[in-house]
Amino acid sequence: MIKVYLRKKISRRVQDGHPWIFSNEVEKTEGTVTGGEIVQVFAYDKKFIGQGYINPLSQILVRLLTRDKNEVINEEFFYKKILKCWEYRKKLGYTENCRLVFGEADELPQLIIDKFNDHFVLQTLALGIDKWKPAIVNVLNRIFSPKGIFERNDVSVRELEGMKQQKGFLSSPFDTQIIINENARPDDPIGRGLKFYVDIENGQKTGYFLDQQDNRRAIQHIVKGADVLGAFTYTGSFEIHAAHYGAKSVLGFDISENAVQQANRNASLNGLENICRFQTANAFDILKQWSKEGKQLDVVILDPPAFTKSRETIQKAITGYNEINLRGMKLIKPGGFLVTSSCTSLIDANLFLQIIDMAAKDAKRKLRQVTFQTQAPDHPIIRNLENTQYLKFLIVEVQ
Ligand code: SAH
């Protein structure tokens, strides 16, 4: 097996648990490397650190899969790992729909698997994990006997790994418009939760944002009898929850016509089409126009996409968050609520709160924090492992 030796300065970080090794952190490599193969990694002093997969095309040369020298990486390895992921989700109560595998946070770097009841959506975002796709599909079949498995590898990061973007069935073909049930729990006021169409083939990312599933429940008490504006609604999940929890009127906007169509279908699916409507528009324009017109609402919900993935454009992202939150606050009646999110991982929780405070100062409003949350626990956070904590979700009373 290929042996990779780390530089002295780097060894500590990786020995302490970090799973990534960048190409400039390697002292020497013994053997001829083929992209995607399993290699052994050693510290500068030749102490064994772990086994992982290598890709010389990628800036991240090696991603570790195990710290055990004797562990054999084969289908059984993935079976044990994925079963462990499933046991963890079951223990935490995330069974019907969940992120079954969250990459690095589950020690399965660059592997994402979302479970939508009997259907599974998979992403293999690095060459070294993509090679194991057939084994991973076998494992899903062995554990779950699913109705269908779909690959959503139409993601540009794959190109950095020398792979094509692609999507398609990894099982017999099935109808890729499925319906999921969310938040059907004993504490649901109506008791049956909500239903959503998920477009596994053409929806964004894996089709549905499971990371906000607990946060959607967090709006339950602040929307009763409220007039609600939702911006960046995608398929309307927050807004339809608002209607379900007793809002008087809900209007949602998204720039994607497909998303808006699906959102309106979702409102009807739950019998809430009289309360909850969706329209295609640029949320920046709507927020600007409405605040100019002096419109006043009880609740404003903001859930924009990531504004940047690189440090170079972080200032632009900060300006973007400032703008939408400032305008959102201005639209809220005294005593109303702002529900605001950020999934930009480069903007950490402290920075996000600073941006919100700045926006409040500019809007001349005082904020009282109701809750500050993160992603649901089926997207585990590994302490000190960047990118595993990415979601910020804040509810404030705007006084
Ligand atoms: N709230 C949703 C997720 C939103 S994802 C949920 O919980 O499922 C972000 C959404 O913002 C995407 O649907 C995208 O189409 C939309 N979007 C991006 N730029 C936008 C803009 N300028 N105006 C309105 N919507 C936008």
Side-chain angles (χ1 to χ4, degrees):
M1 203 186 277
I2 306 285
K3 292 184 163 70
V4 174
Y5 295 90
L6 303 187
R7 299 220 155 109
K8 189 169 178 183
K9 254 168 73 186
I10 305 306
S11 296
R12 191 76 258 159
R13 190 192 93 239
V14 181
Q15 275 168 324
D16 284 348
H18 203 286
W20 293 352
I21 295 144
F22 290 85
S23 33
N24 61 0
E25 297 175 339
V26 171
E27 184 67 46
K28 64 169 177 174
T29 303
E30 280 175 12
T32 320
V33 172
T34 319
E37 75 181 304
I38 303 295
V39 300
Q40 290 187 328
V41 177
F42 297 86
Y44 73 102
D45 57 4
K46 303 202 164 41
K47 264 203 200 105
F48 176 81
I49 297 183
Q51 302 182 62
Y53 58 75
I54 192 164
N55 183 0
L57 279 181
S58 169
Q59 260 192 0
I60 302 175
L61 182 70
V62 181
R63 290 179 165 97
L64 292 179
L65 286 164
T66 175
R67 304 272 167 174
D68 180 347
K69 192 170 186 173
N70 300 318
E71 191 150 28
V72 182
I73 311 294
N74 55 15
E75 184 177 313
E76 278 323 290
F77 169 83
F78 287 99
Y79 179 81
K80 276 189 263 162
K81 283 272 196 194
I82 292 174
L83 198 58
K84 207 171 136 199
C85 292
W86 179 224
E87 295 301 332
Y88 187 70
R89 272 66 180 178
K90 281 197 291 191
K91 185 173 267 181
L92 298 176
Y94 293 80
T95 48
E96 185 162 343
N97 313 308
C98 63
R99 175 145 294 185
L100 175 66
V101 178
F102 184 40
E104 275 71 355
D106 283 304
E107 296 175 338
L108 288 169
Q110 300 304 99
L111 175 64
I112 302 290
I113 304 177
D114 278 353
K115 173 182 186 292
F116 298 113
N117 203 339
D118 294 327
H119 294 91
F120 291 75
V121 181
L122 179 145
Q123 296 179 317
T124 44
L125 304 176
L127 179 65
I129 196 74
D130 191 67
K131 287 207 151 188
W132 295 98
K133 199 166 65 186
I136 292 163
V137 168
N138 283 344
V139 167
L140 290 178
N141 284 324
R142 284 168 62 188
I143 303 177
F144 298 98
S145 305
K147 282 198 183 141
I149 308 175
F150 199 86
E151 157 182 24
R152 281 302 300 271
N153 274 327
D154 47 332
V155 185
S156 60
V157 290
R158 276 175 55 103
E159 289 169 11
L160 302 175
E161 292 271 328
M163 294 188 291
K164 280 196 320 250
Q165 293 194 38
Q166 61 190 59
K167 60 177 173 178
F169 294 101
L170 298 173
S171 62
S172 308
F174 57 92
D175 182 356
T176 51
Q177 289 269 351
I178 59 165
I179 294 177
I180 62 164
N181 220 329
E182 186 170 83
N183 287 326
R185 299 158 38 111
D187 56 356
D188 182 67
I190 304 176
R192 57 179 155 73
L194 287 141
K195 287 191 163 44
F196 293 99
Y197 284 104
V198 175
D199 182 345
I200 284 182
E201 186 168 1
N202 297 310
Q204 295 180 26
K205 305 269 173 82
T206 60
Y208 190 78
F209 294 98
L210 289 170
D211 52 0
Q212 294 269 33
Q213 61 173 307
D214 292 346
N215 299 336
R216 293 185 188 112
R217 257 189 350 265
I219 65 171
Q220 179 170 340
H221 302 289
I222 59 162
V223 293
K224 285 204 178 73
D227 289 318
V228 178
L229 164 68
F232 310 94
T233 59
Y234 186 40
T235 55
S237 55
F238 270 103
E239 292 68 22
I240 292 165
H241 273 79
H244 176 71
Y245 292 142
K248 188 161 82 197
S249 75
V250 184
L251 189 52
F253 293 98
D254 197 281
I255 206 158
S256 149
E257 206 159 308
N258 264 347
V260 167
Q261 266 178 24
Q262 192 86 315
N264 281 319
R265 282 181 76 203
N266 280 332
S268 304
L269 185 63
N270 291 285
L272 294 166
E273 67 276 19
N274 293 331
I275 300 169
C276 199
R277 286 183 303 125
F278 295 91
Q279 291 171 8
T280 312
N282 186 328
F284 283 87
D285 296 344
I286 292 287
L287 290 166
K288 197 167 163 184
Q289 189 187 322
W290 282 28
S291 54
K292 255 198 199 140
E293 291 168 9
K295 282 215 164 94
Q296 290 283 279
L297 297 140
D298 300 297
V299 175
V300 171
I301 303 173
L302 305 173
D303 185 17
F307 281 156
T308 183
K309 289 206 163 71
S310 90
R311 284 193 197 282
E312 285 90 72
T313 48
I314 197 151
Q315 192 51 47
K316 231 176 111 192
I318 294 173
T319 310
Y321 284 117
N322 183 276
E323 178 177 337
I324 57 171
N325 284 287
L326 167 65
R327 293 197 199 282
M329 284 174 202
K330 285 188 172 166
L331 287 174
I332 297 170
K333 289 179 195 162
F337 295 90
L338 174 69
V339 178
T340 183
S341 304
S342 159
C343 59
T344 304
S345 48
L346 286 173
I347 294 192
D348 66 16
N350 281 335
L351 179 54
F352 182 64
L353 292 175
Q354 274 173 30
I355 297 169
I356 299 296
D357 289 344
M358 259 163 43
K361 207 170 150 209
D362 293 345
K364 302 195 172 57
R365 305 295 290 271
K366 195 174 148 196
L367 304 181
R368 178 152 69 172
Q369 180 171 318
V370 177
T371 186
F372 187 45
Q373 301 179 179
T374 184
Q375 68 242 28
D378 57 337
H379 296 60
I381 294 164
I382 303 298
R383 305 299 310 165
N384 300 318
L385 183 54
E386 64 268 34
N387 297 331
T388 61
Q389 177 156 28
Y390 65 96
L391 189 64
K392 283 76 58 188
F393 173 83
L394 176 71
I395 303 181
V396 283
E397 185 191 45
V398 183
Q399 298 177 333

